[in-house]
Each structure stands twice: as C-alpha cells, then as structure tokens.
Amino acid sequence: TQLLEQSPQFLSIQEGENLTVYCNSSSVFSSLQWYRQEPGEGPVLLVTVVTGGEVKKLKRLTFQFGDARKDSSLHITAAQPGDTGLYLCAGALQGTSYGKLTFGQGTILTVHP
Amino acid sequence: GAGVSQTPSNKVTEKGKYVELRCDPISGHTALYWYRQSLGQGPEFLIYFQGTGAADDSGLPNDRFFAVRPEGSVSTLKIQRTERGDSAVYLCASSLGVPGEGTTDTQYFGPGTRLTVL
C-alpha cells in the first residue's frame, strides 16, 4: 500500500490545457514537496509546503496543501510541451525523522504541441 | 562540478556479487540521503546521514545493504550478495542543513546509478 497515492498516473493533454495532479494520504505529513524528474536525472524540487491550507504559486503552477496536511494538489495552467515530465509528491510523515521522505508513485505528464 | 555526482552511472553485475555505489555530495552539505527508484515508481528512502553518522537507516531492506560516510562527505552504498530484485536506479541527494520541526531543507539529487543484476 502506497502511503502517498498520486493520481492520475498518466496524463496526456494538448498544449494550452489546464490540469491537476492529486496526492492523497490517510496519514499526516509535517511537510510536503513536489518534484519534477526528467529521464536519466534525479528529481528537482519545485516547491515545499508546510502549513495546512497553504497555497503557493510558481508562474503557471499552483500548489495547495490540505487543511489536515494529508493531501496536496498541483495545478498547471495553460500547459506547455516543456512541462512534460514525471511529477512526484513527497513528504515527511509526522512522527518520523524529518529527513526521511516518502514519495508517491508519480504522474507522467505529456503535453502535445 | 557544483551538483551531486554519482559513480558509476551504470553498473551491471551478476547475481551474488558485491557492488559499491559512490556519492559525492555538494561541498559543505551536512546531510546525505540514499534512495532507490524502481521502474515506474517514485524513489524509496533507504538511509540518511547527518555528518558521519546514520540518522535514520530504517529504509535499508535487509542486512545485505550497508552505507558509510566516514569523513562526512563522500558516501558509499554497499550491497552484498546482489539479487535480481536489487536492480533499480540508486539516487543520492544532499542538503545544506538537517531538516527539523517546522523547517525543511532542500534535497539536491544526483543523476543516479542504474544497477542491473543479471
């Protein structure tokens, strides 16, 4: 059983469309992060959220942390082909060491021109 | 270079052999992390170091896996008696400080070592 469930696992859309990726858990997280990973490379941090209800924006990307700190979402507006990649959510489970990140299984996003 | 480097980039070995995977963190980073990523999955935590000591090794799957960081910089992940199920990309990350209550510290990942056990 995945502690962090990401959905959808695959997303194929046209340039200009909007999309949302979800990251859900029954457990509480001290913090939650979103990463993007390209083939042959390690994940690269996009954002960290630490407060329940927090919303962060990074250009066309909007990240939200659930009030209960059990879930998060990533929304991309007007997707571009350059957004194509693997998106991962990860968090530090409350009650475990802060350096131990639990990752979701990832969402593979393909944006067609 | 300025980033985390890992060597080798690819390692092919036979079942039962011993392998060592090396990670060079970003200079000055006190924390170092090892993850394993299987095809189609997110990374899975293995162990993390604060300085020379293992702060949390709860992710090591069994006693065939061992990691060291003797001088608080370079780390080596050692796998004994490799099995086909050990095949994966092994990722290393480092962070400047150590995460704590209410704070996080960005983990910078290396490109990984792809281990294939035949």
Side-chain angles (χ1 to χ4, degrees):
Chain A
T1 305
Q2 284 278 137
L3 273 172
L4 272 174
E5 293 280 350
Q6 271 188 250
S7 61
Q9 281 190 268
F10 302 93
L11 200 48
S12 180
I13 61 171
Q14 294 296 126
E15 182 176 2
E17 292 183 3
N18 302 332
L19 67 112
T20 302
V21 178
Y22 299 93
C23 182
N24 295 298
S25 177
S26 57
S27 302
V28 176
F29 287 83
S30 303
S31 64
L32 206 135
Q33 301 175 331
W34 285 90
Y35 292 81
R36 180 176 155 186
Q37 186 176 21
E38 301 288 345
E41 298 179 9
V44 176
L45 180 67
L46 296 173
V47 78
T48 299
V49 285
V50 296
T51 305
E54 184 175 1
V55 177
K56 281 193 175 179
K57 292 191 175 185
L58 184 67
K59 296 184 181 178
R60 295 177 294 102
L61 278 60
T62 302
F63 306 86
Q64 187 161 9
F65 200 13
D67 291 341
R69 293 187 293 153
K70 294 182 179 181
D71 56 270
S72 180
S73 63
L74 157 61
H75 182 79
I76 301 179
T77 304
Q80 299 176 0
D83 295 328
T84 292
L86 173 66
Y87 288 82
L88 295 157
C89 64
L93 265 174
Q94 193 170 59
T96 66
S97 62
Y98 295 101
K100 179 179 178 178
L101 285 181
T102 298
F103 280 83
Q105 72 269 49
T107 295
I108 297 175
L109 171 65
T110 305
V111 182
H112 302 279
Chain B
V4 176
S5 62
Q6 293 186 244
T7 53
S9 55
N10 277 285
K11 176 72 177 177
V12 180
T13 191
E14 293 180 343
K15 180 175 178 297
K17 299 287 188 184
Y18 168 82
V19 296
E20 289 189 353
L21 311 179
R22 177 187 167 110
C23 173
D24 281 82
I26 294 172
S27 178
H29 279 196
T30 59
L32 184 146
Y33 313 78
W34 283 99
Y35 295 85
R36 176 169 70 173
Q37 186 171 25
S38 300
L39 194 63
Q41 300 294 319
E44 173 193 16
F45 172 84
L46 296 176
I47 184 172
Y48 96 91
F49 291 88
Q50 292 176 204
T52 60
D56 187 335
D57 65 357
S58 61
L60 294 177
N62 52 58
D63 61 6
R64 294 188 298 106
F65 288 75
F66 189 70
V68 295
R69 194 186 186 202
E71 297 178 0
S73 178
V74 170
S75 176
T76 305
L77 178 65
K78 309 180 181 195
I79 310 174
Q80 298 178 321
R81 305 183 303 279
T82 52
E83 300 177 356
R84 292 195 180 87
D86 298 335
S87 296
V89 174
Y90 288 80
L91 293 165
C92 174
S94 69
S95 65
L96 181 61
V98 176
E101 176 68 37
T103 68
T104 61
D105 225 299
T106 301
Q107 293 187 25
Y108 296 88
F109 284 80
T113 293
R114 180 174 298 278
L115 175 66
T116 303
V117 182
L118 301 176

